[in-house]
Amino acid sequence: SSISRVIAGSIDRLVERLTSEKNPNFNFKDCFLITYSCFMSAQEFLLKLKQRFLSVINVEDQNKIAIKFRVIAVLKSWVENHIYDFNTDLIKKDLMDFVENICKAIPSQTNLKDAVERAFQKSSVIIFEPINQQNCIIDNL
């Protein structure tokens, strides 16, 4: 089997590939979530996911249903693994509004709302220890 590689693409085509109804590519998803901020903001990425979801919201075709669930899977992975991308009140509100809309459209997705709330709770209790200078090693070059 040949390996499909992405070298370049428009933002819309990359998001389309990320949420494709065909075989999900978890490696592509992970790489995308790590690197998307090099070419678009978190706010723009969230908007693109919303647009992708809404483009198939009322379509009952099996492929279109798969796209809805791919968007949800990407969104969940993004929130669980990159919660600090949601660092402003505006993007948090937009995210929660989108999650609410998903739950209204697909009532079985209440676990998404729970996952988002858990991720925000976890992120708010992380405590960073101050640097202890005794534990720092400074190499004089």
Side-chain angles (χ1 to χ4, degrees):
S1 80
S2 65
I3 296 174
S4 176
R5 296 174 65 166
V6 174
I7 296 172
S10 69
I11 290 174
D12 288 334
R13 293 288 291 173
L14 290 170
V15 171
E16 185 179 306
R17 168 79 183 255
L18 181 67
T19 58
S20 173
E21 69 274 14
K22 297 182 176 110
N23 295 331
N25 184 328
F26 299 110
N27 191 36
F28 179 74
K29 178 194 64 156
D30 293 341
C31 290
F32 185 92
L33 290 175
I34 290 169
T35 62
Y36 81 88
S37 61
C38 295
F39 52 90
M40 73 174 142
S41 68
Q43 192 75 38
E44 185 177 3
F45 179 39
L46 183 60
L47 177 63
K48 293 296 181 184
L49 287 177
K50 284 184 200 177
Q51 290 170 342
R52 181 78 163 142
F53 186 84
L54 293 174
S55 72
V56 295
I57 190 68
N58 293 319
V59 181
E60 292 305 319
D61 173 88
Q62 280 304 112
N63 289 336
K64 304 303 183 194
I65 291 170
I67 291 170
K68 293 175 201 176
F69 286 100
R70 296 279 193 266
V71 169
I72 292 167
V74 168
L75 186 63
K76 188 174 181 201
S77 181
W78 184 24
V79 169
E80 289 177 340
N81 298 303
H82 305 276
I83 192 65
Y84 293 106
D85 289 357
F86 303 91
N87 57 2
T88 67
D89 290 340
L90 177 62
I91 194 164
K92 285 178 188 175
K93 180 187 179 319
D94 286 351
L95 171 66
M96 293 311 293
D97 289 348
F98 184 34
V99 168
E100 289 289 334
N101 288 332
I102 289 171
C103 292
K104 285 178 188 171
I106 307 172
S108 65
Q109 289 304 305
T110 55
N111 63 338
L112 175 64
K113 185 176 180 184
D114 295 341
V116 170
E117 289 173 352
R118 272 193 314 275
F120 280 122
Q121 287 172 352
K122 277 185 191 177
S123 72
S124 67
V125 297
I126 293 176
I127 300 171
F128 294 96
E129 294 182 23
I131 295 175
N132 181 342
Q133 289 184 341
Q134 292 174 338
N135 294 335
C136 293
I137 299 171
I138 300 172
D139 196 10
N140 292 326
L141 299 175

